[in-house]
Amino acid sequence: YTIIERGGSVGLVLEVKNLSYVFPNGVGIIGIDFQIDYNDIYYLYGSHNSGKSLILQSILGIISPQKGSIKIFENPDFLQEKRRIGYVPQSPYYIDRMTITDMMNYFSLSFGVLEKNFADILNLNLKEKKPVRHLSSFIQRKLNLWIALLGNPDLVFIDDPFGGLDTQESEQLISIISYLNKNNNITFLLTGHNYELASRIATKYGVLKNGRFLIELTPEKLDSECKRCIKIRTPQLLSAIPLLEKEFPQYEVLEDDLIRVFCPLSHSAKINTLLVSAGIEVSEIWIAGTMPQEYLLKLTEGGI
């Protein structure tokens, strides 16, 4: 495996402030604020059309933001830092009938790099004779990652890394990203909505909804937030719902007599008093957790 010695840089790798870009139809990103520290694996989490790809395009200079500022390695001039950045797009790209080796040679010459660093880490078959266009999307994505690693970048963006991959392929990619992060000190910004896979490597989550930045979560904070659920069992559920939704609008009916409310745990006594005062029988009320993936879905689709 190839291990690249770096200068031991610390501090902010990326700083985004008040980033905004809105299309004429009203879709876009508004007031995006987040930052990435050295050696983070930062995961921008959001559903389709949440603004993830648009944020990447703004950072990479593909589009010009209407508002806000972006600093890469504390430098507002993207062009000065461009060679320290790698990018893997959501849809893998290839050139006509080029093979893996053809594309490696082509892009190596473009970057002025002749060695095949990282090919062994990515397990790319340099003897493959088929054009890249006829290979699996996983191989195409690994080749795109190899291209992104040319020049030994300090920061790599991967848009929806696990999209379209099966379990085994996802496991391989997780291992590759983890290895590059730990052994080559590469900082990553990933996007997507697959918590189960991202949780294996992510050091922070930035949660997006409808083009806005909702919250930043560390794995520890996410675990804590997932405990914010109160379950109530009552035989008079239909009468209880109108009372609850006035003060606790984020809820989910689980069974004919069971509902859970997403709110701070300290509100359990308030909920009990509210229902009992209205003459509604409360059979049980208790604090319960929810799975992180489910919690994130509630944030981005239900709006906890």
Side-chain angles (χ1 to χ4, degrees), residues 227-230 248 261-269 271 287:
K227 297 176 182 177
R228 291 174 47 189
C229 172
I230 298 171
F248 307 100
V261 176
F262 297 94
C263 67
L265 304 183
S266 58
H267 287 183
S268 59
I271 291 173
I287 294 168

Side-chain angles (χ1 to χ4, degrees), residues 23 53 56 70 75 88-89 94 107 110 126 128 146 196 201 203 219 243 275 288 296 300:
F23 294 101
S53 295
L56 289 189
I70 300 168
N75 187 348
V88 182
Y94 41 79
F107 284 97
S110 298
L126 305 186
E128 175 61 66
W146 181 87
E196 297 300 330
I201 49 176
T203 57
L243 291 173
L275 296 177
L296 290 171
T300 56

